[in-house]
């Protein structure tokens, strides 16, 4: 008997009870996800292990030291899942020379038949995890073959596009079942100061890729634009939602540690669902409650935007804003020459946020509720930490449907020093959403706490109290601990502390029914082809991708 998941959340309590029905079998016993009481501390030379809720375990499905199936035989990068191969995996004693870390990023899980690889006749299986890589010396796409042996576990799918051009460093990824393409984003945007100088040097954008080996990758920035794109997600109408992460200018004087809001939430409406080469790019515009005018970017006025009453109100519980979508580019009239989407959004009067990195639709809302985070300044010395979005926040956008032109925006959760730098997001169940931190080395040191993954109850009003449940307190693997100690040395190129990225809950269904948000997730239980699975990557250091499961 198939049972719908029943979730009961005790906000602010020490535990969260999740009773989940089994898929394809009898009712399973309930699972209680207990709160991990504290984040791991950051101490020089200290490499604490990851700590998960007591009912959970994690299994490595790919490690950075795994040699890439299909890597170049001449030893040129990339050679390994987490290392380019341009140096040793660990530096010699007294040296800071080591291989560039590739930093596998956002995960996309799919169940597919008939996939191939570099070795004819090798078994590659049916369950796959696709990723772009955010770091290292070159950009590329990998496929973790979850059913394959060690020699064929990670396949290098592509490092150049169909024109032979090198791929950029990638961050976000998703599967578009309408266009039948993987979509990858690159967050290399143009800064406001460069825009003022006429240096439209954004190289970020969106690339589409075919599934099977070798993947054929196409730059589609002529229709979607170039910007600091990161989070990417489809809706049921075939629209592509993209969240931008593009740091703004620093303020002056007392605001020198704060940054101007400079990133936008985009929606691409293709002319035809199965073809992303043409359509309209839109950006979200928020209407001020004070003036009834759009909240917009003010060039050469970083301080004014950082400290504006509208910014303060955006990060205030109970304030609800009217929104609408404004068109920033239309291929029918503007052509398909790549353009600066960030600048176009400013010209169109869209509303900037403080680095809203990722978003996802809430299941069971017919794609009418979209939750996205604002990372903020990730600096305990920012003047904007005092109620001006310096710590970031979680927003809820509500519309009558994903293609609606208007909606309402409100703050779902007001972040603080202990819950900040939120980045990747995934719905664990219909009423539970997981946001993970990327607070960064500076804030890790300032607050003496590494990153965590938090489970929020979307039915709870956090303005009345209560806190999310910590399901993961990330540790720091030995490689990341070494890198953290070397991070201030001359010419050292790699990141330090581990970062949680790529939190992903999916049943792998490549049809439209498998869109994230199309059905209620039932993680940890079930059998069969399309059982729900949970993944994340401990970026930096050893670059390990994990699957989270319940204890037997």
């Amino acid at each position: 008997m198939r049972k719908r998941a029943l979730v009961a959340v005790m906000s602010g309590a020490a535990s969260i009870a999740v009773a989940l029905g089994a898929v394809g079998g009898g009712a399973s016993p309930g699972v209680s996800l207990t709160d991990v009481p504290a984040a791991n501390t950051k101490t020089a030379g200290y490499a604490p292990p990851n700590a998960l809720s007591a009912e959970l375990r994690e299994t490595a499905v790919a490690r950075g030291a795994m040699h890439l199936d299909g890597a170049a035989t001449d030893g040129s990068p990339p050679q390994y899942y987490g290392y380019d191969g341009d140096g040793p995996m660990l530096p010699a004693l007294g040296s800071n020379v080591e291989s560039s870390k590739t930093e596998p990023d956002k995960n996309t899980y799919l169940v597919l038949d008939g996939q191939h690889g570099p070795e004819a006749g090798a078994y590659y299986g049916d369950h796959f995890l696709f990723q772009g890589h955010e770091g290292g010396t070159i950009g590329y796409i990998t496929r973790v073959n979850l059913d394959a042996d060690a020699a064929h576990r990670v396949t290098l799918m592509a490092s150049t596009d169909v024109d032979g051009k090198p791929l950029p460093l990638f961050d976000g990824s998703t599967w578009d079942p309408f266009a039948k393409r993987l979509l990858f984003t690159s967050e290399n945007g143009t800064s406001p100061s460069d825009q003022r100088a006429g240096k439209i040097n954004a190289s970020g954008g969106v690339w589409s890729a075919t599934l099977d080996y070798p993947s054929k990758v196409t730059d589609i920035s002529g229709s979607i634009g170039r910007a600091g794109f990161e989070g990417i997600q489809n809706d049921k109408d075939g629209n592509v939602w993209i969240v931008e992460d593009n740091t703004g200018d620093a303020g002056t004087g007392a605001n020198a540690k704060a940054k101007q809001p400079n990133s936008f939430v985009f929606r691409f409406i293709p002319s035809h669902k199965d073809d992303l080469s043409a359509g309209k790019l839109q950006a979200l515009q928020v209407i001020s409650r004070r003036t009834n005018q759009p909240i917009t970017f003010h060039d050469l006025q970083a301080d004014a935007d950082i400290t504006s009453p509208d910014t303060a109100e955006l990060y205030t519980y109970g304030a609800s804003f009217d929104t609408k979508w404004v068109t920033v580019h239309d291929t029918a009239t503007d052509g398909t020459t790549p353009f600066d989407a960030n600048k176009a959004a400013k010209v169109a009067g869209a509303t900037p946020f403080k680095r809203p990195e990722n978003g996802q639709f809430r299941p069971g809302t017919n794609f009418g509720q979209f939750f996205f985070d604002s990372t903020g300044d990730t600096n305990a010395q920012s003047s904007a930490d005092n109620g001006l979005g310096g710590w970031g926040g979680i927003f809820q956008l509500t519309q009558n449907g994903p293609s609606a032109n208007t909606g309402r925006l409100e703050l779902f959760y007001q972040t603080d020093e202990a819950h900040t730098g939120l980045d990747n997001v995934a719905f664990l169940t219909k009423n539970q959403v997981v946001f993970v931190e990327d607070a960064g080395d500076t804030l890790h040191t300032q607050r003496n706490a590494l990153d965590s993954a938090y489970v929020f109850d979307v039915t709870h009003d956090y303005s009345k109290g209560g806190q999310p449940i910590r399901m993961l307190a990330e540790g720091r693997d030995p490689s990341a601990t070494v890198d953290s100690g070397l991070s201030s040395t001359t010419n050292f190129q790699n990141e330090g502390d581990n970062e949680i990225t790529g939190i992903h809950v999916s049943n792998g269904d490549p049809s439209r029914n498998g869109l994230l948000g199309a059905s209620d997730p039932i993680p940890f239980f079930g059998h069969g082809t399309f059982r729900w699975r949970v993944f994340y990557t401990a970026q930096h250091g050893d670059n390990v991708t994990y699957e989270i499961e319940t204890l037997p």
Side-chain angles (χ1 to χ4, degrees):
M1 179 178 182
R2 188 183 299 270
K3 290 190 175 181
R4 178 166 297 219
L6 172 65
V7 182
V9 181
M10 299 172 58
S11 298
S15 67
I16 177 170
V18 185
L20 298 169
V23 176
S28 75
V31 175
S32 176
L33 294 183
T34 56
D35 186 50
V36 180
N40 276 305
T41 58
K42 176 176 179 173
T43 305
Y46 177 50
N50 298 336
L52 286 89
S53 294
E55 301 75 23
L56 301 177
R57 66 178 180 183
E58 60 186 19
T59 303
V61 298
R63 294 185 178 276
M66 286 182 167
H67 192 261
L68 292 176
D69 176 45
T73 57
D74 64 1
S76 59
Q79 286 291 309
Y80 303 92
Y81 180 60
Y83 301 87
D84 272 344
D86 55 349
M89 292 180 181
L90 286 174
L93 187 64
S95 170
N96 71 349
V97 176
E98 67 177 18
S99 175
S100 299
K101 306 289 181 73
T102 73
E103 302 181 17
D105 209 280
K106 192 174 179 182
N107 297 297
T108 294
Y109 171 62
L110 292 172
V111 179
L112 304 165
D113 294 327
Q115 299 300 290
H116 304 88
E119 184 178 334
Y123 178 68
Y124 287 95
D126 302 307
H127 303 82
F128 305 96
L129 207 58
F130 294 87
Q131 295 155 323
H133 291 247
E134 187 184 16
T137 59
I138 68 170
Y140 61 100
I141 297 168
T142 52
R143 185 187 68 196
V144 178
N145 310 304
L146 295 166
D147 305 324
D149 60 17
H152 304 93
R153 176 50 64 99
V154 186
T155 297
L156 174 62
M157 297 295 286
S159 60
T160 59
D161 67 14
V162 292
D163 296 320
K165 297 178 181 178
L167 295 179
L169 301 179
F170 285 131
D171 195 309
S173 68
T174 195
W175 165 247
D176 185 331
F178 303 96
K180 293 182 170 48
R181 292 290 187 273
L182 291 159
L183 303 180
F184 293 91
T185 58
S186 177
E187 60 174 335
N188 300 314
T190 303
S191 69
S193 57
D194 281 349
Q195 285 177 344
R196 287 192 294 271
K199 300 176 182 178
I200 309 303
N201 53 13
S203 59
V206 181
W207 278 253
S208 70
T210 57
L211 282 173
D212 204 3
Y213 177 88
S215 182
K216 298 176 181 177
V217 186
T218 303
D219 181 356
I220 56 175
S221 301
S223 57
I224 300 182
R226 298 205 180 281
F229 292 145
E230 184 167 346
I232 187 166
Q233 166 80 62
N234 277 93
D235 65 35
K236 70 180 182 68
D237 292 343
N239 305 318
V240 182
W241 293 53
I242 311 170
V243 181
E244 185 189 23
D245 175 12
N246 196 7
T247 302
D249 285 343
T252 61
N255 297 317
K257 300 292 186 179
K259 298 294 180 65
Q260 184 180 25
N262 186 53
S263 304
F264 299 89
V265 177
F266 293 95
R267 180 178 72 178
F268 179 68
I269 303 176
S271 300
H272 302 282
K273 296 179 184 181
D274 60 353
D275 182 2
L276 301 179
S277 65
K280 294 180 180 179
L281 182 69
Q282 299 181 322
L284 188 68
Q285 183 184 80
V286 182
I287 308 302
S288 169
R289 287 157 44 99
R290 299 181 309 107
T291 66
N292 203 34
Q293 297 297 312
I295 302 172
T296 59
F297 179 87
H298 294 90
D299 200 15
L300 297 175
Q301 297 183 47
D303 291 303
D305 281 355
I306 291 169
T307 62
S308 78
D310 288 325
T311 297
E313 200 162 29
L314 275 171
Y315 291 91
T316 300
Y317 281 127
S320 181
F321 298 83
D322 287 326
T323 64
K324 70 176 184 178
W325 292 94
V326 293
T327 298
V328 304
H329 187 273
D330 185 347
T331 57
T333 55
D334 301 319
T336 57
T337 300
F339 61 97
D340 190 325
N342 178 280
K343 182 176 181 180
K346 292 171 180 174
V347 173
T351 299
F353 293 87
K354 292 176 78 73
R355 299 177 56 203
E357 297 194 49
N358 279 278
Q360 198 169 117
F361 291 97
R362 180 188 175 191
T365 66
N366 199 27
F367 293 85
Q369 288 184 9
F370 185 71
F371 284 76
F372 66 92
D373 56 39
S374 168
T375 297
D377 292 329
T378 58
N379 190 328
Q381 298 175 0
S382 169
S383 58
D385 292 340
N386 186 24
L388 292 167
W391 296 126
I394 301 175
F395 294 92
Q396 176 184 328
L397 175 64
T398 303
Q399 301 183 164
N400 289 333
S403 297
N405 289 322
T406 60
R408 299 287 294 179
L409 181 75
E410 59 187 46
L411 185 72
F412 165 70
Y413 181 77
Q414 189 179 78
T415 47
D416 53 27
E417 185 172 1
H419 315 81
T420 189
L422 300 181
D423 191 331
N424 284 199
V425 54
F427 271 88
L428 192 64
T429 65
K430 175 182 177 179
N431 293 326
Q432 291 174 278
V433 63
V434 181
F435 281 91
V436 302
E437 289 184 311
D438 173 17
D441 290 17
T442 296
L443 188 54
H444 291 166
T445 300
Q446 290 172 335
R447 69 181 188 179
N448 191 28
L450 300 175
D451 290 336
S452 294
Y454 294 103
V455 180
F456 294 84
D457 173 11
V458 298
T459 69
H460 180 72
D461 183 355
Y462 285 98
S463 69
K464 297 179 179 178
Q467 291 295 345
I469 299 298
R470 191 194 323 266
M471 67 174 283
L472 166 65
E474 188 175 40
R476 191 169 63 176
D477 63 47
S479 293
T481 305
V482 170
D483 290 349
S484 179
L486 295 173
S487 61
S488 61
T489 61
T490 303
N491 296 326
F492 185 71
Q493 80 277 28
N494 290 323
E495 298 280 349
D497 303 333
N498 290 125
E499 167 199 334
I500 306 170
T501 192
I503 185 72
H504 186 58
V505 181
S506 170
N507 64 0
D509 184 350
S511 75
R512 299 175 188 183
N513 295 328
L515 282 170
L516 300 180
S519 58
D520 295 353
I522 307 175
F524 306 133
F525 290 107
H527 306 282
T529 302
F530 296 118
R531 67 182 179 91
W532 291 85
R533 300 174 74 171
V534 183
F535 300 94
Y536 84 95
T537 299
Q539 204 179 53
H540 310 154
D542 289 333
N543 285 300
V544 181
T545 295
Y546 293 98
E547 180 171 6
I548 299 178
E549 303 169 293
T550 54
L551 290 171

